[in-house]
Amino acid sequence: MKKLLLALSMTALCGAAVANEKATEEVNYGDPTASFTTLGVSASEGGTQLNGMIGLGSNIFQADIGVDNKTGDLNYRGRYFHVTEGLGYSVDVLGDANTTTALAGAIYKFNVTDNIKLFPMASVGYTKSKDTVAGATSESALGQAGLYGMYGFDDGHWIYANPKATYHADSKEWLPQVEVGGGFMILNNASIGAKIEYTGESTKKGLSPKEDTVAWLQANYYF
C-alpha cells in the first residue's frame, strides 16, 4: 500500500511539473497583456534604457529608465497594468526633466488564431512641458488610439506592429506614430530583439515638424 501511495504521489508531482513547464512555454513574451517578470536593456544610437517588469498574476508593474547618450539627460516611464480575461487597464507616467505625461487607458485582446492576436487600445491623459529657452510652460489634455498586432511563433519568437495616433487638445493636432519589431528566444529564459519607432509629421507640424525614425536593439532575461 505504501508503495502504491508513493507511486501515485510521484506521478502527481511529475504531472504538475509538466503542467507548469507547459504553462511557462505557452507565455509569449511579445504579448502586451502577458504577466511575467523580466529585466532587460535597450540601446539606440541616441539613447540607452534599462527595462524592468514584475508580473504578479493580474497585476503588472513596469519601469523604464533611459539616458540620452549625448547629453546624459534622464528619462523615465512607470506603468501599472491590470489584466482581466481579454481586457486590461493601465496607468502610465512618463517624461524627463522638462516634460511629464500621464495616461490612463484600456486594451482588449482578440485571438484571431492560435498565433495571431490583435489588441485595440485607447487612452486619455495630460501632458505638461517647459520650454527651457523661453521659460514658458505648456499643457494639454491628450487622447490616444492604437492597435497592437502580433504573430507568436510556436517556438516563442514573435513579431509585432503597433500604429497609434495621439491627439493634443491644446493645439488641436494629431501626432501619428508606428512601432514595428520582434523578439527571438535564444534560451528558454532569454531573448534578443529589435524595434523601429517612426514618428510622422503632426497635422499642423507643430508637435513634430519633420519625420523621425529610431532603431533599437534589445535583450531580456526572464525569471
Side-chain angles (χ1 to χ4, degrees), residues 19-103:
N20 287 336
E21 183 178 352
K22 184 177 180 181
T24 300
E25 290 175 351
E26 288 176 351
V27 173
N28 188 291
Y29 298 115
D31 184 337
T33 63
S35 181
F36 53 86
T37 300
T38 182
L39 185 64
V41 62
S42 302
S44 70
E45 182 181 359
T48 304
Q49 283 186 346
L50 181 65
N51 313 117
M53 187 173 101
I54 298 176
L56 303 174
S58 297
N59 300 294
I60 301 171
F61 301 87
Q62 292 176 302
D64 302 321
I65 300 176
V67 59
D68 188 297
N69 291 341
K70 296 180 180 179
T71 65
D73 294 339
L74 296 176
N75 57 78
Y76 65 90
R77 177 186 179 183
R79 187 187 196 203
Y80 167 73
F81 190 61
H82 181 75
V83 181
T84 58
E85 186 61 34
L87 183 64
Y89 305 92
S90 64
V91 177
D92 291 76
V93 178
L94 61 155
D96 53 31
N98 302 309
T99 304
T100 301
T101 300
L103 292 165

Side-chain angles (χ1 to χ4, degrees), residues 5-20:
L5 290 174
L6 179 60
L8 290 174
S9 299
M10 292 298 294
T11 302
L13 288 172
C14 291
V18 171
N20 287 336

Side-chain angles (χ1 to χ4, degrees), residues 123-161:
S123 301
V124 294
Y126 169 85
T127 185
K128 183 177 181 180
S129 60
K130 180 180 180 180
D131 188 325
T132 56
V133 177
T137 299
S138 62
E139 51 191 292
S140 177
L142 301 176
Q144 187 179 88
L147 177 66
Y148 184 102
M150 66 166 288
Y151 184 92
F153 294 89
D154 294 336
D155 293 334
H157 321 306
W158 70 92
I159 55 175
Y160 72 92

